[in-house]
Amino acid sequence: MHYTNGNYAAFSKPLKSSTVDGKKAYLIGGGLAALSAAAFLIRDGHMEGRNICILEELSLPGGGCDGVKDDNRGFIIRGGREMEDHFECLWDLYRSIPSLELENASVLDEFYWLNQSDPSSSPVRVTVNQGKDANTLHKFTLSDRAAMELSRLVLTPEEALDDKKITDVFSEDFLASNFWLFWRSMFAFEEWHSAIEMRRYLTRFIHLTHTLTDLSGLRFTKYNQYESLILPLVKYLEAEGVQFRYDTVVTNVEFECKADKKAAKKIQCTSMGEDTSITLTEKDLVFITLGCNTEQSGFGDDNHPAVVPEGIGPSWELWKNIAAQDEAFGRPEKFYGDVAGSNWESATITCLDDKIPEYISKMTGRNPGNGSIVTGGPITVKDSFWLMSWTVSRQPHFKVQPSGQIVAWVYGLFSDVEGDYIKKSMKECTGREIVEEWLYHIGVPAEEIPELAKNHAHCIPCMMPYVTSYFMVRKAGDRPDIVPKGAINFAFIGEHVETPRDTVFTTEYAVRTGMEAVYTLLDVGRGVPEVYGSAFDVRALLKAAASLLDGKKLSDIAMPQDKKMSLGNLLKEANGTVITELLKESGLI
């Protein structure tokens, strides 16, 4: 497996491998990583779909990319997916998946045309004082010290950050900035999360720095991610003959591990309540999804708080059993072992009529019911004790959503802290109480809140104990390689495996791991698109620097006199060169 960029390899079709005939593939987990791997097995590996089987513990596929109308609870979305232009593997996949909405078009075509005609932006990124605009547009408020800390982290080699927290590399100056507020609410980072992952995000998305205050760099699907991304992919796989075995919990994969060779020998599982196993030969391929950030999600309703099931859940138990067999298979306890550090709560709020949407419209200046972008990403309530953020995507968010209803999504990064209007922690709140807290923060008069929450909305809370398990402090080796050294017939996929430079908690990472796994095990004669290299593009770096300085010029930066003189001399030397042109274009001089 190798990486490529440009369109030379991107537009090519790999030749069929001489070894693919007679192989079978088993994919453990039915999330985006496994579904993508199955598609790459067919498209680029030339494997027949009937030789591919997906084992999924739930009764439907998609994993964390969900969006369902539960017959008993109503509409539920545990989270949303923010995408951008340079999700290279994601778009490589979806250029080949037929749209379910448009004839003779791919999912990528559908997505591209939609976001061209209805580009995203946030009319209000941060609010205070019950729905008032905090006026944070183009204001990162980084002190010189905080800006230097940011630059220093980007320049620090990853191996120097093993087991370090964000607070090990940033001071209170940085944590008090608008930049950190935008960052943590958009990506769900906490101060105790991994400095390695923080650095990866900074370098991975450096080309989007100037859009952090208005979220104009984001791209969104027409409907929820299940209906817009998962369902077309599943329909494609089903049409190719791929077998889906639902309600199947894989409890272990047995390996034979030698110094120079590792082979998967048996899959142990419980299917429809009965224990069974699948014996593997060395020609069989196994793709194993490790861990799950939505595992053990607990749901509530209007009158009850969310309740989390006991135990760590099947996906974590599986990884534990696998990891016990070889040190190259990772350390799952680093990711599931601190629920207090990896949990937060979300809630799906269905507005039953136009009473509540009137306040959304008043705040955003947009009509929530016209099918276009509404909030354009999260609106963060800066003075919320829960650090609440909320979003209203294009409506209807579900194909079966009744006309006149609006579905909103709310999350609180601090689930253990007492609220501002409701004097309880979010995890203790019923759905109706969460609605009341949200209504308070979008500017609904206090005397109207109880009646609106009771009669004009419906809310499903969801507590996710491992939702940011991806971000927990780690070091090299805690996440296994996609194909460990010596592995001959298996690969690990999903967000808890290691691939260079890319960032977890994204649709891109899931698809990339599936692609790299297939290309490695089948020796596919085509390169995997490399992670977008904006961190190595001087234009992106200068534009990011100018944005982070909130419009200040290089000459405005506080620095010792000798350094200021050196800077002046360098600028004189560069005068008349392309360097001066680039500095002017970026606004630094």
Side-chain angles (χ1 to χ4, degrees), residues 64 66 77-82 183-190 192-193 201 225 293-299 306 308 338-348 378 386-391 409-417 425-428 434 461-472 505:
D66 60 6
I77 40 175
R78 286 179 291 189
R81 295 295 174 268
E82 300 161 346
W183 194 267
R184 72 184 321 182
S185 58
M186 181 178 176
F187 298 124
F189 274 97
E190 303 270 25
W192 53 82
H193 284 157
Y201 264 77
Q225 57 255 1
N293 78 321
T294 53
E295 186 72 275
Q296 300 299 83
S297 295
F299 296 96
V308 175
D338 180 11
V339 169
S342 64
N343 83 89
W344 45 259
E345 184 164 4
S346 72
T348 309
W386 293 352
L387 193 55
M388 175 188 287
S389 294
W390 60 278
T391 182
W409 182 76
V410 174
Y411 92 96
L413 204 53
F414 307 140
S415 61
D416 297 323
V417 180
S425 68
M426 190 175 185
K427 71 178 184 180
E428 296 173 316
I434 291 173
C462 176
M463 170 57 77
M464 295 170 283
Y466 310 112
V467 65
T468 44
S469 56
Y470 307 140
F471 293 166
M472 300 308 286
F505 216 169

Coordinates of all heavy atoms in Angstrom, one line a residue, residues 64 66 77-82 183-190 192-193 201 225 293-299 306 308 338-348 378 386-391 409-417 425-428 434 461-472 505:
G64 N -22.1 4.9 14.3 CA -22.4 6.2 14.9 C -23.0 7.2 13.8 O -23.4 8.3 14.2
D66 N -25.8 7.7 12.4 CA -27.2 7.3 12.5 C -28.2 8.4 12.2 O -27.9 9.5 11.9 CB -27.5 6.7 13.9 CG -27.3 7.7 15.0 OD1 -27.0 8.9 14.8 OD2 -27.4 7.3 16.2
I77 N -31.0 11.4 16.5 CA -29.7 11.6 16.0 C -28.7 11.7 17.1 O -28.8 12.7 17.9 CB -29.6 12.7 15.0 CG1 -30.3 14.0 15.5 CG2 -30.0 12.4 13.6 CD1 -30.2 15.2 14.7
R78 N -27.8 10.8 17.3 CA -26.8 10.9 18.4 C -25.8 12.0 18.1 O -25.2 12.5 19.0 CB -26.2 9.5 18.6 CG -27.1 8.5 19.3 CD -26.4 7.2 19.5 NE -26.2 6.5 18.2 CZ -25.8 5.2 18.1 NH1 -25.6 4.5 19.2 NH2 -25.6 4.7 17.0
G79 N -25.6 12.3 16.9 CA -24.6 13.3 16.5 C -24.7 13.7 15.1 O -25.5 13.1 14.3
G80 N -23.9 14.6 14.6 CA -23.8 15.0 13.2 C -22.4 14.9 12.7 O -21.5 14.9 13.4
R81 N -22.3 14.9 11.4 CA -21.0 14.8 10.7 C -20.7 16.0 9.9 O -21.4 16.4 9.1 CB -20.9 13.6 9.8 CG -21.1 12.2 10.6 CD -19.9 12.0 11.5 NE -20.1 10.8 12.4 CZ -20.7 10.9 13.6 NH1 -21.1 12.0 14.1 NH2 -20.8 9.8 14.3
E82 N -19.6 16.7 10.3 CA -19.1 17.9 9.6 C -18.0 17.4 8.6 O -17.1 16.7 8.9 CB -18.5 18.9 10.5 CG -19.5 19.3 11.6 CD -18.8 19.9 12.8 OE1 -17.6 19.8 13.0 OE2 -19.5 20.6 13.6
W183 N -12.9 25.9 18.9 CA -12.3 24.6 18.7 C -13.0 23.5 19.5 O -13.4 22.5 19.0 CB -10.8 24.7 19.0 CG -10.0 23.6 18.6 CD1 -9.7 22.4 19.2 CD2 -9.4 23.5 17.3 NE1 -8.9 21.6 18.5 CE2 -8.7 22.2 17.3 CE3 -9.3 24.3 16.2 CZ2 -7.9 21.8 16.2 CZ3 -8.6 23.9 15.1 CH2 -7.9 22.6 15.1
R184 N -13.1 23.8 20.8 CA -13.7 22.7 21.7 C -15.1 22.4 21.4 O -15.6 21.3 21.5 CB -13.5 23.1 23.1 CG -14.4 24.2 23.6 CD -14.1 24.6 25.0 NE -13.8 23.4 25.9 CZ -13.5 23.5 27.2 NH1 -13.5 24.7 27.8 NH2 -13.2 22.4 27.9
S185 N -15.9 23.4 21.0 CA -17.3 23.2 20.8 C -17.6 22.6 19.4 O -18.6 21.9 19.2 CB -18.1 24.5 20.9 OG -17.6 25.5 20.0
M186 N -16.7 22.9 18.4 CA -16.9 22.3 17.1 C -16.4 20.8 17.1 O -17.1 20.0 16.5 CB -16.0 23.1 16.1 CG -16.1 22.7 14.7 SD -15.1 23.7 13.6 CE -15.3 22.9 12.0
F187 N -15.3 20.5 17.8 CA -14.7 19.2 17.7 C -14.9 18.4 19.0 O -14.7 17.2 19.0 CB -13.2 19.3 17.4 CG -12.9 19.9 16.1 CD1 -12.0 21.0 16.1 CD2 -13.4 19.4 14.9 CE1 -11.7 21.6 14.9 CE2 -13.1 20.0 13.7 CZ -12.2 21.1 13.7
A188 N -15.4 19.0 20.1 CA -15.7 18.3 21.3 C -14.4 17.9 22.1 O -14.3 16.9 22.7 CB -16.6 17.1 21.2
F189 N -13.4 18.8 22.0 CA -12.2 18.6 22.8 C -12.3 19.1 24.2 O -13.0 20.1 24.5 CB -11.0 19.4 22.2 CG -10.3 18.6 21.1 CD1 -10.6 18.8 19.7 CD2 -9.3 17.7 21.4 CE1 -9.9 18.1 18.7 CE2 -8.6 17.0 20.4 CZ -8.9 17.2 19.1
E190 N -11.7 18.4 25.2 CA -11.6 18.9 26.6 C -10.1 19.1 26.9 O -9.2 18.6 26.2 CB -12.2 17.8 27.5 CG -13.6 17.4 27.2 CD -14.6 18.2 27.9 OE1 -14.3 19.4 28.3 OE2 -15.7 17.7 28.2
W192 N -8.3 17.9 29.1 CA -7.5 16.7 29.5 C -7.3 15.7 28.3 O -6.7 14.7 28.5 CB -8.2 16.0 30.6 CG -9.7 15.7 30.3 CD1 -10.2 14.6 29.6 CD2 -10.8 16.4 30.7 NE1 -11.5 14.7 29.6 CE2 -11.9 15.8 30.3 CE3 -10.9 17.6 31.5 CZ2 -13.2 16.3 30.5 CZ3 -12.2 18.1 31.7 CH2 -13.3 17.4 31.2
H193 N -7.8 16.1 27.1 CA -7.6 15.2 26.0 C -6.2 15.3 25.4 O -5.4 16.1 25.8 CB -8.7 15.6 24.9 CG -10.0 15.1 25.2 ND1 -11.2 15.6 24.7 CD2 -10.4 14.1 26.1 CE1 -12.2 15.0 25.2 NE2 -11.8 14.0 26.0
Y201 N -5.2 17.7 14.5 CA -6.3 18.5 14.0 C -5.8 19.8 13.5 O -6.2 20.3 12.5 CB -7.4 18.7 15.1 CG -8.5 17.7 15.1 CD1 -8.4 16.4 15.5 CD2 -9.8 18.1 14.6 CE1 -9.5 15.5 15.5 CE2 -10.8 17.3 14.6 CZ -10.7 16.0 15.0 OH -11.7 15.1 14.9
Q225 N -27.2 11.7 8.4 CA -26.1 11.0 7.8 C -26.5 9.5 7.5 O -25.9 8.9 6.6 CB -24.8 11.0 8.7 CG -25.0 10.4 10.1 CD -25.1 11.5 11.1 OE1 -25.0 12.7 10.8 NE2 -25.2 11.2 12.4
N293 N -17.4 4.6 19.6 CA -17.7 5.7 20.5 C -19.1 5.9 20.9 O -19.5 6.6 21.8 CB -17.1 7.0 19.8 CG -18.0 7.6 18.8 OD1 -18.6 6.8 18.0 ND2 -18.1 8.9 18.7
T294 N -20.0 5.2 20.2 CA -21.4 5.2 20.5 C -21.9 4.0 21.3 O -23.1 3.8 21.5 CB -22.3 5.4 19.3 OG1 -22.0 4.4 18.3 CG2 -22.1 6.8 18.7
E295 N -20.9 3.1 21.6 CA -21.2 1.9 22.4 C -21.9 2.3 23.8 O -21.5 3.3 24.4 CB -20.0 1.1 22.7 CG -20.2 -0.2 23.4 CD -20.8 -1.2 22.4 OE1 -22.0 -1.2 22.3 OE2 -20.0 -2.0 21.8
Q296 N -22.9 1.5 24.2 CA -23.6 1.7 25.4 C -24.3 3.0 25.5 O -24.5 3.6 26.6 CB -22.6 1.5 26.6 CG -21.9 0.2 26.7 CD -22.9 -1.0 26.9 OE1 -23.4 -1.5 25.9 NE2 -23.1 -1.4 28.1
S297 N -24.7 3.6 24.4 CA -25.5 4.8 24.4 C -26.8 4.5 25.2 O -27.5 3.5 25.0 CB -25.9 5.2 23.0 OG -24.8 5.6 22.2
G298 N -27.1 5.5 26.1 CA -28.3 5.3 26.9 C -29.3 6.4 26.5 O -29.0 7.6 26.4
F299 N -30.6 6.0 26.3 CA -31.6 7.0 25.9 C -32.6 7.3 27.0 O -32.9 6.4 27.9 CB -32.3 6.4 24.7 CG -31.4 6.3 23.5 CD1 -30.9 5.0 23.2 CD2 -31.1 7.3 22.6 CE1 -30.0 4.8 22.1 CE2 -30.3 7.2 21.5 CZ -29.8 5.9 21.3
A306 N -31.7 10.0 30.4 CA -31.0 8.9 29.7 C -30.4 8.0 30.7 O -29.8 8.4 31.7 CB -29.9 9.4 28.8
V308 N -27.7 4.7 31.0 CA -26.7 4.0 30.3 C -26.7 2.5 30.7 O -26.7 2.2 31.9 CB -25.3 4.6 30.6 CG1 -24.2 3.8 30.0 CG2 -25.3 6.0 30.0
D338 N -11.8 5.6 31.1 CA -12.1 6.9 31.9 C -13.4 7.5 31.4 O -13.4 8.5 30.6 CB -10.9 7.8 31.7 CG -11.1 9.2 32.5 OD1 -12.1 9.2 33.3 OD2 -10.3 10.1 32.3
V339 N -14.5 7.0 31.8 CA -15.8 7.4 31.3 C -16.0 8.9 31.6 O -16.6 9.7 30.8 CB -16.9 6.6 31.8 CG1 -18.3 7.2 31.5 CG2 -16.9 5.2 31.2
A340 N -15.5 9.3 32.8 CA -15.7 10.7 33.2 C -15.0 11.7 32.2 O -15.5 12.8 32.0 CB -15.1 10.9 34.6
G341 N -14.0 11.2 31.6 CA -13.2 12.0 30.6 C -13.7 11.9 29.2 O -13.3 12.7 28.3
S342 N -14.5 10.9 28.9 CA -14.9 10.6 27.5 C -16.4 10.8 27.2 O -16.8 10.6 26.1 CB -14.4 9.2 27.1 OG -15.1 8.2 27.8
N343 N -17.2 11.1 28.2 CA -18.6 11.2 28.0 C -19.1 12.6 27.7 O -18.5 13.6 28.2 CB -19.4 10.6 29.2 CG -19.6 11.6 30.3 OD1 -20.5 12.4 30.4 ND2 -18.6 11.6 31.2
W344 N -20.2 12.7 27.0 CA -21.0 13.9 27.0 C -22.4 13.4 26.5 O -22.6 12.3 26.1 CB -20.5 15.1 26.3 CG -19.9 15.0 24.9 CD1 -18.5 15.0 24.7 CD2 -20.5 14.9 23.6 NE1 -18.3 14.9 23.3 CE2 -19.5 14.9 22.7 CE3 -21.8 14.9 23.2 CZ2 -19.8 14.8 21.3 CZ3 -22.1 14.8 21.9 CH2 -21.1 14.8 20.9
E345 N -23.4 14.4 26.6 CA -24.7 14.0 26.3 C -25.3 14.9 25.2 O -25.0 16.0 25.1 CB -25.6 14.2 27.5 CG -27.1 13.8 27.3 CD -27.8 13.6 28.6 OE1 -27.3 13.9 29.7 OE2 -29.0 13.1 28.6
S346 N -26.1 14.2 24.3 CA -26.7 15.0 23.3 C -28.2 14.8 23.4 O -28.7 13.9 24.2 CB -26.3 14.5 21.9 OG -26.8 13.2 21.6
A347 N -29.0 15.5 22.6 CA -30.4 15.4 22.7 C -31.0 15.8 21.3 O -30.6 16.8 20.7 CB -31.0 16.3 23.8
T348 N -32.0 15.0 20.9 CA -32.7 15.3 19.6 C -34.0 16.0 20.0 O -34.8 15.4 20.7 CB -33.0 14.1 18.8 OG1 -31.8 13.3 18.6 CG2 -33.5 14.4 17.4
P378 N -22.6 24.2 14.6 CA -23.0 24.5 16.0 C -23.0 25.9 16.4 O -22.1 26.7 16.0 CB -22.0 23.7 16.8 CG -20.7 23.7 16.0 CD -21.2 23.6 14.6
W386 N -23.3 24.1 31.0 CA -23.2 22.8 30.3 C -22.2 23.0 29.1 O -21.9 22.0 28.5 CB -24.5 22.3 29.8 CG -25.5 21.9 30.8 CD1 -25.3 21.8 32.2 CD2 -26.9 21.5 30.6 NE1 -26.5 21.4 32.8 CE2 -27.4 21.2 31.8 CE3 -27.6 21.4 29.4 CZ2 -28.8 20.8 32.0 CZ3 -29.0 21.0 29.6 CH2 -29.5 20.7 30.8
L387 N -21.9 24.2 28.8 CA -21.2 24.6 27.5 C -22.1 23.9 26.4 O -21.6 23.1 25.6 CB -19.8 24.1 27.4 CG -19.0 24.8 26.2 CD1 -19.1 26.3 26.2 CD2 -17.6 24.4 26.2
M388 N -23.3 24.4 26.3 CA -24.2 23.9 25.3 C -23.9 24.4 23.9 O -23.6 25.5 23.8 CB -25.7 24.3 25.7 CG -26.7 23.9 24.7 SD -28.4 24.6 25.1 CE -28.8 23.6 26.5
S389 N -24.1 23.5 23.0 CA -24.1 23.9 21.6 C -25.3 23.2 20.9 O -25.7 22.2 21.3 CB -22.8 23.4 20.9 OG -21.6 24.1 21.3
W390 N -25.8 23.9 19.9 CA -26.9 23.3 19.2 C -26.9 23.6 17.7 O -26.2 24.6 17.3 CB -28.2 23.8 19.8 CG -28.4 25.3 19.8 CD1 -27.9 26.2 20.6 CD2 -29.2 26.0 18.8 NE1 -28.3 27.5 20.3 CE2 -29.1 27.4 19.2 CE3 -30.0 25.7 17.7 CZ2 -29.7 28.4 18.4 CZ3 -30.6 26.7 17.0 CH2 -30.5 28.0 17.3
T391 N -27.6 22.8 16.9 CA -27.6 23.0 15.5 C -28.9 22.6 14.9 O -29.6 21.7 15.4 CB -26.4 22.2 14.8 OG1 -26.4 22.5 13.4 CG2 -26.6 20.8 15.1
W409 N -30.6 19.5 17.1 CA -29.7 18.7 17.9 C -29.0 19.6 18.9 O -28.5 20.6 18.5 CB -28.8 18.0 17.0 CG -27.8 17.0 17.6 CD1 -28.1 15.8 18.2 CD2 -26.4 17.3 17.9 NE1 -27.0 15.2 18.7 CE2 -25.9 16.1 18.6 CE3 -25.6 18.3 17.6 CZ2 -24.6 16.0 19.0 CZ3 -24.2 18.2 18.0 CH2 -23.8 17.0 18.7
V410 N -28.9 19.1 20.1 CA -28.3 19.8 21.2 C -27.3 18.9 21.9 O -27.5 17.7 22.0 CB -29.4 20.3 22.2 CG1 -28.7 20.9 23.5 CG2 -30.3 21.2 21.6
Y411 N -26.1 19.5 22.3 CA -25.2 18.7 23.1 C -24.6 19.6 24.2 O -24.4 20.8 24.0 CB -24.2 18.0 22.3 CG -22.9 18.6 22.0 CD1 -21.8 18.4 22.9 CD2 -22.7 19.5 21.0 CE1 -20.5 19.0 22.6 CE2 -21.5 20.1 20.7 CZ -20.4 19.8 21.5 OH -19.2 20.4 21.3
G412 N -24.3 19.0 25.3 CA -23.6 19.6 26.4 C -22.3 19.0 26.7 O -22.2 17.8 27.0
L413 N -21.2 19.7 26.6 CA -19.9 19.1 26.8 C -19.6 18.8 28.2 O -18.8 17.9 28.5 CB -18.8 20.1 26.3 CG -17.5 19.6 25.8 CD1 -17.6 18.5 24.8 CD2 -16.5 20.7 25.3
F414 N -20.3 19.5 29.1 CA -20.1 19.2 30.6 C -21.4 18.6 31.1 O -22.4 19.3 31.4 CB -19.8 20.5 31.3 CG -18.6 21.2 30.8 CD1 -18.6 22.6 30.8 CD2 -17.5 20.6 30.3 CE1 -17.5 23.3 30.3 CE2 -16.4 21.3 29.8 CZ -16.4 22.7 29.8
S415 N -21.5 17.3 31.2 CA -22.7 16.6 31.5 C -22.9 16.5 33.0 O -24.0 16.2 33.5 CB -22.7 15.2 30.9 OG -21.6 14.4 31.5
D416 N -21.9 16.8 33.8 CA -22.0 16.7 35.3 C -22.2 18.0 36.0 O -22.3 18.0 37.2 CB -20.7 16.1 35.8 CG -20.5 14.6 35.3 OD1 -21.5 13.9 35.2 OD2 -19.3 14.3 35.0
V417 N -22.4 19.1 35.3 CA -22.5 20.4 35.9 C -24.0 20.9 35.9 O -24.7 20.7 34.9 CB -21.6 21.4 35.1 CG1 -21.7 22.8 35.7 CG2 -20.2 20.9 35.1
S425 N -27.7 18.7 36.6 CA -26.8 18.4 35.6 C -27.6 17.8 34.4 O -28.7 17.3 34.5 CB -25.8 17.3 36.1 OG -26.4 16.1 36.3
M426 N -26.9 17.9 33.2 CA -27.6 17.5 32.0 C -28.0 16.0 32.1 O -29.0 15.6 31.6 CB -26.8 17.8 30.8 CG -27.5 17.5 29.5 SD -26.5 18.0 28.0 CE -27.7 17.8 26.7
K427 N -27.0 15.2 32.6 CA -27.3 13.7 32.7 C -28.4 13.4 33.6 O -29.0 12.3 33.5 CB -26.0 13.0 33.1 CG -25.6 13.2 34.6 CD -24.4 12.4 34.9 CE -24.0 12.4 36.3 NZ -22.8 11.6 36.6
E428 N -28.8 14.3 34.5 CA -29.9 14.1 35.4 C -31.3 14.6 34.8 O -32.3 14.3 35.4 CB -29.7 14.8 36.7 CG -28.5 14.3 37.5 CD -28.3 15.2 38.8 OE1 -28.3 16.4 38.6 OE2 -28.0 14.6 39.8
I434 N -34.3 19.4 29.4 CA -33.3 19.8 28.4 C -33.8 20.8 27.4 O -33.2 21.8 27.1 CB -32.7 18.6 27.7 CG1 -31.9 17.7 28.7 CG2 -31.8 19.0 26.5 CD1 -31.4 16.4 28.1
P461 N -33.1 12.5 25.0 CA -31.8 12.6 25.5 C -31.0 11.3 25.2 O -31.5 10.2 25.2 CB -31.9 12.8 27.0 CG -33.3 12.9 27.3 CD -34.1 12.3 26.1
C462 N -29.7 11.5 25.0 CA -28.8 10.4 24.7 C -27.4 10.6 25.4 O -26.7 11.5 25.0 CB -28.6 10.1 23.2 SG -27.4 8.8 22.8
M463 N -27.2 9.7 26.4 CA -25.9 9.8 27.1 C -24.9 8.8 26.4 O -25.3 7.6 26.2 CB -26.0 9.5 28.6 CG -24.7 9.3 29.3 SD -23.6 10.7 29.2 CE -24.3 11.8 30.4
M464 N -23.7 9.3 26.0 CA -22.7 8.4 25.4 C -21.5 8.4 26.2 O -20.7 9.4 26.2 CB -22.5 9.0 24.0 CG -23.7 8.9 23.0 SD -23.5 9.8 21.5 CE -23.7 11.5 22.0
P465 N -21.2 7.3 26.9 CA -20.1 7.3 27.8 C -18.7 7.3 27.2 O -17.7 7.7 27.8 CB -20.3 6.0 28.6 CG -21.2 5.1 27.8 CD -22.1 6.1 27.0
Y466 N -18.6 6.9 25.9 CA -17.3 6.8 25.2 C -17.2 7.7 24.0 O -16.4 7.5 23.1 CB -17.1 5.4 24.8 CG -17.3 4.3 25.8 CD1 -18.3 3.4 25.8 CD2 -16.4 4.3 26.9 CE1 -18.5 2.5 26.8 CE2 -16.6 3.4 28.0 CZ -17.7 2.5 27.9 OH -17.8 1.5 28.9
V467 N -18.1 8.7 23.9 CA -18.2 9.5 22.7 C -16.9 10.2 22.2 O -16.6 10.3 21.0 CB -19.4 10.5 22.8 CG1 -19.1 11.6 23.8 CG2 -19.7 11.1 21.4
T468 N -16.1 10.6 23.2 CA -14.8 11.2 22.8 C -13.6 10.3 23.3 O -12.5 10.7 23.6 CB -14.6 12.6 23.3 OG1 -15.0 12.7 24.7 CG2 -15.4 13.6 22.5
S469 N -13.9 9.0 23.2 CA -12.8 8.0 23.6 C -11.7 8.2 22.6 O -10.5 7.9 23.0 CB -13.4 6.6 23.5 OG -13.9 6.3 22.3
Y470 N -11.9 8.6 21.4 CA -10.9 8.8 20.4 C -9.8 9.8 20.9 O -8.7 9.7 20.4 CB -11.5 9.4 19.1 CG -12.6 8.6 18.5 CD1 -13.7 9.3 17.9 CD2 -12.6 7.2 18.4 CE1 -14.7 8.6 17.3 CE2 -13.7 6.6 17.8 CZ -14.7 7.3 17.3 OH -15.8 6.6 16.7
F471 N -10.2 10.7 21.7 CA -9.3 11.8 22.1 C -8.6 11.6 23.4 O -7.8 12.4 23.8 CB -10.1 13.1 22.3 CG -10.8 13.7 21.0 CD1 -11.7 14.7 21.1 CD2 -10.4 13.3 19.8 CE1 -12.3 15.2 20.0 CE2 -10.9 13.8 18.6 CZ -11.9 14.8 18.7
M472 N -8.8 10.4 24.0 CA -8.1 10.2 25.3 C -6.6 10.1 25.1 O -6.1 9.8 24.1 CB -8.7 8.9 25.9 CG -10.2 8.9 26.2 SD -10.7 10.4 27.1 CE -10.1 9.9 28.7
F505 N -12.6 10.8 14.6 CA -13.9 11.4 14.8 C -14.3 12.1 13.5 O -15.0 13.1 13.5 CB -13.8 12.4 15.9 CG -15.1 12.5 16.8 CD1 -15.2 13.2 18.0 CD2 -16.3 11.8 16.3 CE1 -16.3 13.3 18.7 CE2 -17.4 11.9 17.1 CZ -17.5 12.6 18.3

